[in-house]
Amino acid sequence: MPARPGLSWGFLGVLAFSFTVPLTRLAVGSGHLSSLLVGSARAVVAALLAGLALWFSQSPRPRGREWIGVGVVAAGAVLGFPLLTSIALTQTPASHGAVVIALLPATTAIVSVVRTGERPGRVFWVASAVGAVAAVLFAAVQRNTVGQLQAADVLLFAAVIVCALAYAEGGILSRRLGAWQTISWALLAAAPVTILLTGWAVVDQPPTGTPAEWLAFAYLGVVSMFLGFVAWYRGLAIGPLAQVSQIQLAQPVMSIGWAALILHESITWPTLLGGVAVIACALVAVRSRTRPSSTSRGHAHSDDRVGR
């Protein structure tokens, strides 16, 4: 079937990303490696790989306004999401973080709708709103803080928003620059900042991680920040886009499973129910957006890459 290569590459990307939350928690949980170091140095590692890939491929540089898009991707996917989640996961279990981050597919779809001027139906907006409410209620109820959110939850929600902005802008930019080239240029654009933050983190708190913590960090730098994006965007490029993009809905489920296996976190019923509710709403929102009417099918298919 023509769909299989795209689905296979997309699944590899999601599988790579599904380890990000539990391994970030493993890297920063004991305090041996600071959240600033893990959040910034992983991007430095990925930037080295990206620079080599761009050099060997002789990929053309972005031009003019394309650098604005690169900057948005760098700010959201390279700087914002890793730093915010690294800090948040020093204060909350990985399974909890995975449920909140399950809002990412629907949030990305919302941002891309606003960015492209697309007009989805009422079902999309209702599902997106219910999913957001479900995530907020889950975060508050699980912590017994109904009426207010903890700092870690605010950071996680902020991480979802900045990453969604980066995914949407990156989807548009990848049509011109290429998929993996977009994240590579973003990594290089952010490198001066990530190198500076890494140096600051090392001076402020010299790292004393265990072998397991360093292995988790290595995974975050090599796989989560680079190879995972290569596989994910290659899957989207092969398509079918609507089918491949929905694979990401399985990511929080896998992340919760890895948290149980790797970190031995107990998975409670509220976590399971919260995850199911958020993922179900995201599924409805994404599917309603990727099923355009017959009059707008061609336009929507061309825009669907933006959602990722």
Side-chain angles (χ1 to χ4, degrees):
M1 292 177 59
R4 287 182 178 175
L7 292 172
S8 298
W9 280 105
F11 177 77
L12 283 176
V14 168
L15 179 63
F17 294 149
S18 70
F19 285 94
T20 300
V21 170
L23 291 185
T24 300
R25 172 67 178 176
L26 175 60
V28 302
S30 69
H32 296 149
L33 301 178
S34 71
S35 57
L36 179 60
L37 176 69
V38 172
S40 59
R42 64 200 259 190
V44 174
V45 173
L48 291 173
L49 298 175
L52 289 173
L54 289 171
W55 185 75
F56 278 112
S57 66
Q58 295 296 299
S59 297
R61 295 183 180 183
R63 299 179 180 178
R65 294 181 63 85
E66 290 175 346
W67 282 110
I68 298 177
V70 169
V72 172
V73 176
V78 179
L79 292 171
F81 187 83
L83 288 170
L84 290 169
T85 53
S86 294
I87 296 171
L89 289 169
T90 63
Q91 308 168 36
T92 193
S95 55
H96 180 95
V99 172
V100 176
I101 293 173
L103 275 172
L104 183 56
T107 307
T108 303
I110 293 172
V111 172
S112 62
V113 163
V114 175
R115 179 68 174 81
T116 62
E118 185 181 346
R119 297 182 178 179
R122 183 180 300 175
V123 172
F124 169 83
W125 294 111
V126 171
S128 299
V130 172
V133 171
V136 173
L137 288 177
F138 161 79
V141 170
Q142 193 180 46
R143 294 173 176 274
N144 296 316
T145 58
V146 177
Q148 62 178 350
L149 291 175
Q150 298 296 303
D153 297 315
V154 174
L155 292 172
L156 289 170
F157 284 120
V160 167
I161 293 172
V162 298
C163 192
L165 289 168
Y167 275 14
E169 193 65 33
I172 296 173
L173 193 58
S174 66
R175 298 171 182 170
R176 299 191 293 271
L177 294 182
W180 69 266
Q181 291 91 336
T182 296
I183 188 63
S184 294
W185 285 115
L187 284 163
L188 289 183
V193 177
T194 55
I195 291 172
L196 178 62
L197 291 176
T198 299
W200 185 4
V202 170
V203 172
D204 181 63
Q205 181 184 330
T208 58
T210 65
E213 291 166 349
W214 280 115
L215 283 174
F217 168 79
Y219 182 94
L220 295 172
V222 175
V223 181
S224 294
M225 289 296 293
F226 187 67
L227 295 181
F229 275 105
V230 172
W232 175 242
Y233 281 125
R234 179 171 175 79
L236 289 177
I238 296 172
L241 294 176
Q243 295 179 25
V244 175
S245 65
Q246 291 176 38
I247 299 175
Q248 194 179 29
L249 295 169
Q251 182 176 329
V253 179
M254 291 190 285
S255 294
I256 291 172
W258 301 138
L261 288 174
I262 298 172
L263 304 175
H264 307 293
E265 291 184 2
S266 59
I267 308 303
T268 63
W269 281 110
T271 299
L272 290 175
L273 292 176
V276 168
V278 174
I279 293 165
C281 292
L283 178 61
V284 172
V286 174
R287 287 184 67 86
S288 68
R289 178 175 176 260
T290 54
R291 288 183 176 180
S293 63
S294 58
T295 59
S296 62
R297 188 176 301 275
H299 174 70
H301 277 188
S302 67
D303 280 349
D304 193 271
R305 186 192 298 265
V306 178
R308 289 306 191 232

